[in-house]
Amino acid sequence: MNQSFLAFAVLLSPLVFVITAVTSWFQNGIHPSLVKKVATASTVVSILIAALSGFFVANYGTLESPLIGIDQLGLSVRLDALSILMLTMIALIGFIVVRFSMNYLDGDAHHGAFIGRLAATIASVQLLVLSGNLALLFVSWVLTSMSLHRLLVFYKDRPGAIIAARKKYIVARIGDACLLAAFTLLYIQFDTGNLEVIFQAIQANLASGSSMPGLEAVAILLVLATLLKSAQFPTHGWLVEVMETPTPVSALLHAGLLNAGPFLIVRMAFVMEASTYAPLILISVGGFTALFASVVFLTQTSVKTALGYSSVAHMGFSLMTCGLGLYPAAMLHLVAHSFYKAHAFLSSGSVIEVIRASKVTSSTRIGSPFRIALGILLALGLYAAFALAWGIDPQKELALLALGAVIVMGLSRLFTSAIDSNGNLKLMSQASLLAVLVTAAFFTLESGSHFLLSSQIPELAMPNFMEIILISMLLLAFGLTVFLQIIAPNLSAKPSYQAMAIHLKNGLYANAIFDRMVRALYSHKYENKSVLTAELSEQNNLRVYSPEKQPA
């Protein structure tokens, strides 16, 4: 079978979702039976195409379609391990979200329009991960943002949703400009938009030791576009405010669209490899965002707001991992986070009901320094044992060990919670088993991810001096934060601790600055003023036309 035909055939997946969106134009209201049938068929077709595409890539390797365009820019599909991984994930999440939307908005006056917008968004994301040319990659990048915007403003009478969508729109357009500038520079330097040709040229230059100074600016622009796309500090505020949209939108946004940022970095991994400063930006901004959002997450009382900060933290962690050059680990984290977050949002309502109906009990912490130290040592010992068993080389794979150190911190939190408590042997056994499973899963799945993506990413390199310094600073910050969390039971009664918790609950007010920049606060003022004016007008009308006020 013609390999070019196979590459083009995969476009049937986004095409069926486009057909769903077009169908919704003619049945956009309540009870859209035809739209539901077409949308269900689209999700099934998408899963089948993803499975077949994976089979062909496994047998033939990377597949590319011929270019439809001019001057080496246009429509071109690229099928490789990375695109198949993302396409399969999107197909499965799309199936779940669309099926959920069938019942969730049943009876809504614009049910058909919502399913159509949802289908258009899924089609845009699939086109993004299948792009084999700079032109198509940029167009689909913009389409994902525009289609998401139409979902965010689905309920136009909700001021909170409008303000959050406006903030997202501004951030997205700045990111689009950065990406357009990066792709323009790439096209000028290589005189082609074909990704494979660009990657091979970069690899050849790196192998020969030739410098490519123009790629530094490209990599930095790519990083800026990524940081803006994935809601990194300090432009993260819109993500935790888009809670007035329907729940399926939140699930698709957090489980799919946010991943466009890390995906772009992994797709352009060879460009990042040729850069010196772009990885440093990813490590510093991504690492800080992960730490900041994780701490703020612990202070939230709203389930969806907490999930929003969780997504910000996970995106930061994925980008930090990309900055370390651990692209397989970043993709592993991205896929795991996507399915977890889709489930978390779609089940958020039922989880609340379960918690309300159940009696939650927890063991009491003792606060023993000896037991805390023992828990940390157990975590270190477990991780060291697995690292030795997997043959991790500290010199060649220092970045992987650094990433694993973050896992050690999580395990130490798990161990100390079990040891430093009045729990019994059963609790300790459960903690130990869970810690072993988490560590084994990390090393096993990371190895599997590396095996799948090895042909699409550069080899892991030893971090340079600046990267080692940043890694050390981040590990120190993460370690200090985890330690404070471990001893939190002894600090919770202190006024300074409670005051800091209030500031953290408000995200250290970083979002307030952005609100002022986009005049979100003024929007609230004008909205309140218009409501007050309407109320006063109604009162005046009642006063004028009230029967008891009329002359005899």
Side-chain angles (χ1 to χ4, degrees), residues 374-384 408-409 411-413 415:
L374 180 60
I376 296 174
L377 289 175
L378 283 175
L380 287 171
L382 179 64
Y383 180 75
V408 171
M409 297 173 192
L411 295 179
S412 64
R413 178 76 176 87
F415 274 120

Side-chain angles (χ1 to χ4, degrees), residues 319-350:
L319 293 177
M320 180 191 74
T321 306
C322 289
L324 295 173
L326 300 171
Y327 301 107
M331 290 305 302
L332 171 63
H333 180 264
L334 184 148
V335 172
H337 168 260
S338 295
F339 286 107
Y340 146 68
K341 197 52 63 74
H343 174 268
F345 269 101
L346 297 181
S347 63
S348 57
S350 58

Side-chain angles (χ1 to χ4, degrees), residues 250-266:
S250 297
L252 186 62
L253 166 61
H254 291 258
L257 294 172
L258 282 180
N259 297 329
F263 167 77
L264 177 67
I265 296 299
V266 177

Side-chain angles (χ1 to χ4, degrees), residues 412-426:
S412 64
R413 178 76 176 87
L414 183 63
F415 274 120
T416 53
S417 297
I419 297 175
D420 184 39
S421 67
N422 58 359
N424 51 26
L425 181 61
K426 180 181 178 181

Side-chain angles (χ1 to χ4, degrees), residues 258-280:
L258 282 180
N259 297 329
F263 167 77
L264 177 67
I265 296 299
V266 177
R267 173 58 80 199
M268 296 293 175
F270 292 106
V271 178
M272 303 301 297
E273 187 71 10
S275 171
T276 302
Y277 300 104
L280 299 179

Side-chain angles (χ1 to χ4, degrees), residues 378-405:
L378 283 175
L380 287 171
L382 179 64
Y383 180 75
F386 271 91
L388 288 174
W390 255 259
I392 303 297
D393 188 344
Q395 292 185 345
K396 295 182 180 180
E397 299 176 294
L398 179 62
L400 183 60
L401 288 176
L403 184 67

Side-chain angles (χ1 to χ4, degrees), residues 101-250:
S101 302
M102 300 295 182
N103 295 327
Y104 181 81
L105 285 177
D106 188 30
D108 190 282
H110 303 286
H111 193 187
F114 177 79
I115 295 176
R117 295 184 185 186
L118 206 62
T121 305
I122 296 173
S124 300
V125 181
Q126 288 191 341
L127 195 61
L128 175 70
V129 301
L130 294 173
S131 299
N133 192 277
L134 293 179
L136 182 60
L137 186 57
F138 176 75
V139 170
S140 56
W141 176 278
V142 176
L143 285 176
T144 59
S145 178
M146 300 303 293
S147 57
L148 172 63
H149 183 79
R150 296 178 70 240
L151 285 172
L152 294 181
V153 296
F154 182 71
Y155 291 123
K156 297 182 179 181
D157 57 338
R158 297 182 178 182
I162 301 300
I163 292 172
R166 180 196 304 173
K167 294 164 68 174
K168 167 65 174 68
Y169 189 88
I170 294 172
V171 170
R173 298 294 75 76
I174 299 174
D176 294 346
C178 292
L179 186 65
L180 179 60
F183 284 177
T184 302
L185 292 176
L186 270 179
Y187 179 76
I188 293 173
Q189 183 160 355
F190 295 98
D191 199 28
T192 182
N194 185 282
L195 295 181
E196 182 65 22
V197 174
I198 294 173
F199 296 158
Q200 289 182 358
I202 295 175
Q203 287 179 273
N205 279 273
L206 291 175
S208 63
S210 303
S211 61
M212 304 183 72
L215 290 183
E216 189 68 59
V218 172
I220 292 175
L221 287 168
L222 289 174
V223 166
L224 292 177
T226 296
L227 296 176
L228 293 168
K229 189 79 167 182
S230 296
Q232 296 299 280
F233 185 90
T235 62
H236 63 281
W238 66 268
L239 185 61
V240 298
E241 294 177 350
V242 290
M243 300 306 168
E244 295 191 46
T245 57
T247 296
V249 179
S250 297

